[in-house]
């Protein structure tokens, strides 16, 4: 009898737990929403395939407007790259003015499908982009087209860009284009990687006259969009208006549970140390398992000293956040000037802010 009563209680508790889980679970996972949005954008763009080129370009121009979701704009870039007309190529280059990184990265990724001279010009321009991910996407594309005219721009990148992955990729492309043996694995000690870099620079001093000099003409983001009309409250109680920030505002959407976010934190803290007097950095943490107290403890343990906000549904919906990390740079007029999806390095934020503060 007692055994039966015990199992009856267990069944009731399990049933109650399942009911609570079902009632509290969001109706749709963030990644599911992101996937659904991408599928919708892809279907919309693919439906244009049967249209005459002129009509297709007109629709793609509409899809590239800032009124469209970022996923739609990125898919429009993909479609433009498949149209072999001067107008399509001009629109592809113009897409680099978009403030959203997925759109601009997609330009670099698809550039190699263009006529060779245009592809080379576009990719060399992307090597001077503010965003490290755009630069690295351009390096991958240059590896595909293998045009020796890019050597001078690659050497400039190797000399000026301190990102170790970018340097490693640039040396790989240089080796493919020139046949020179200077190389170091990404896992080699820093001294060995620096030695390979110096070998390339010494080689260039002797041979640069053999290669044409191509000067990058980067296209910087110039399109803007009003930030959501929200006022955030930090854990300390301070209020931050997105439409009227006192100084440029860098919002970092993240979570303590997110591996990529944790890898990015040293870059954010380094940026804050250097630019904290000129730019307000604010973390917006979503789905924190230990709430405000756990977030504060996590930040204190890792030396994160810029203010934090607990992300909620209104913030998530206003920015259409499907995943983290993401970062948005807002100017003092309350306009979104840069939006990065995925982790970024200190140099990316620094180059963007330097353009903003000019």
């Amino acid at each position: 009898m007692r055994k039966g009563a015990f199992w009856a209680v267990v069944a009731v508790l399990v049933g109650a737990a399942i009911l609570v889980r079902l009632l509290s679970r969001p109706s749709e996972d963030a990644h599911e929403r992101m996937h659904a949005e991408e599928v919708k954008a892809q279907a919309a763009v693919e439906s244009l395939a049967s249209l005459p080129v002129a009509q297709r370009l007109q629709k793609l121009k509409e899809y590239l407007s800032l009124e469209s979701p970022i996923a739609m704009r990125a898919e429009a870039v993909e479609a433009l790259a498949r149209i072999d007309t001067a107008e399509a190529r001009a629109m592809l280059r113009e897409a680099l003015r978009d403030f959203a990184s997925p759109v601009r990265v997609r330009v670099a990724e698809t550039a190699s499908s263009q006529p060779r001279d245009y592809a080379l010009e576009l990719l060399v321009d992307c090597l001077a982009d503010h965003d490290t991910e755009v630069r690295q996407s351009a390096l991958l594309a240059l590896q595909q087209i293998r045009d020796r005219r890019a050597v001078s721009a690659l050497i400039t990148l190797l000399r000026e860009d301190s990102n170790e992955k970018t340097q490693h990729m640039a040396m790989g492309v240089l080796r493919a284009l020139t046949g020179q043996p200077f190389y170091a694995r990404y896992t080699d000690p820093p001294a060995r990687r620096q030695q390979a870099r110096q070998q390339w620079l010494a080689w260039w001093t002797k041979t640069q006259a053999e290669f044409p000099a191509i000067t990058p003409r980067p296209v910087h983001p110039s399109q803007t969009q009003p930030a959501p009309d929200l006022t955030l409250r930090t854990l300390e109680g301070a209020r931050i208006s997105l439409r009227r920030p006192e100084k440029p505002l860098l919002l970092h959407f993240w979570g303590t549970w997110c591996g990529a976010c944790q890898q990015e934190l040293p870059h954010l803290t380094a940026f804050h140390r250097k630019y904290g007097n000129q730019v307000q950095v604010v973390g917006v943490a979503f789905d924190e398992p230990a709430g405000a107290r756990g977030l504060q403890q996590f930040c204190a343990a890792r030396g994160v000293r810029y203010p934090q906000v607990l992300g909620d549904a209104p913030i998530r919906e206003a920015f259409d956040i499907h995943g983290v990390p993401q970062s948005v740079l807002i100017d003092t007029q309350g306009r979104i000037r840069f939006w990065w999806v995925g982790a970024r390095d200190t140099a990316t934020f620094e180059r963007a802010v330097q353009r903003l503060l000019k």
Side-chain angles (χ1 to χ4, degrees), residues 168-183:
H168 173 75
M169 294 174 68
M171 287 190 284
V173 181
L174 282 167
R175 192 179 183 192
L177 296 183
T178 67
Q180 297 301 312
F182 319 127
Y183 190 71

Side-chain angles (χ1 to χ4, degrees), residues 35-58:
H35 178 67
E37 189 171 285
E38 290 173 348
V39 169
K40 182 180 179 181
Q42 188 175 25
V45 170
E46 288 179 351
S47 70
L48 306 178
S50 60
L51 294 178
V53 170
Q55 293 183 30
R56 208 184 320 159
L57 288 174
Q58 182 58 41

Side-chain angles (χ1 to χ4, degrees), residues 45 156 173 186 263 298:
V45 170
T156 299
V173 181
Y186 191 56
Q263 293 175 5
F298 182 96

Side-chain angles (χ1 to χ4, degrees), residues 9 12 28 43 69 93-94 147 203 210 236 315 334 337 358:
V9 171
V12 170
E28 190 178 22
R93 184 177 181 81
E94 189 67 15
D147 195 311
W203 168 83
E210 301 175 18
E236 293 74 28
I315 299 174
R337 299 290 297 273
K358 280 184 178 179

Side-chain angles (χ1 to χ4, degrees), residues 10 56 106 269 274 284 344:
V10 169
R56 208 184 320 159
R106 192 70 61 92
T269 54
K274 186 172 182 178
V284 181
R344 289 301 190 273

Side-chain angles (χ1 to χ4, degrees), residues 37-38 41-42 45 60 63-65 68-82 92 95 98 100-107 109-110:
E37 189 171 285
E38 290 173 348
Q42 188 175 25
V45 170
L60 290 173
Y63 289 162
L64 283 169
S65 74
S68 299
I70 293 175
M72 181 70 79
R73 292 170 1 228
E75 285 296 330
V77 166
E78 188 90 29
L80 275 176
R82 296 193 292 267
L92 191 65
D98 198 305
S101 69
V103 179
R104 307 172 69 259
V105 168
R106 192 70 61 92
V107 173
E109 290 173 343
T110 58

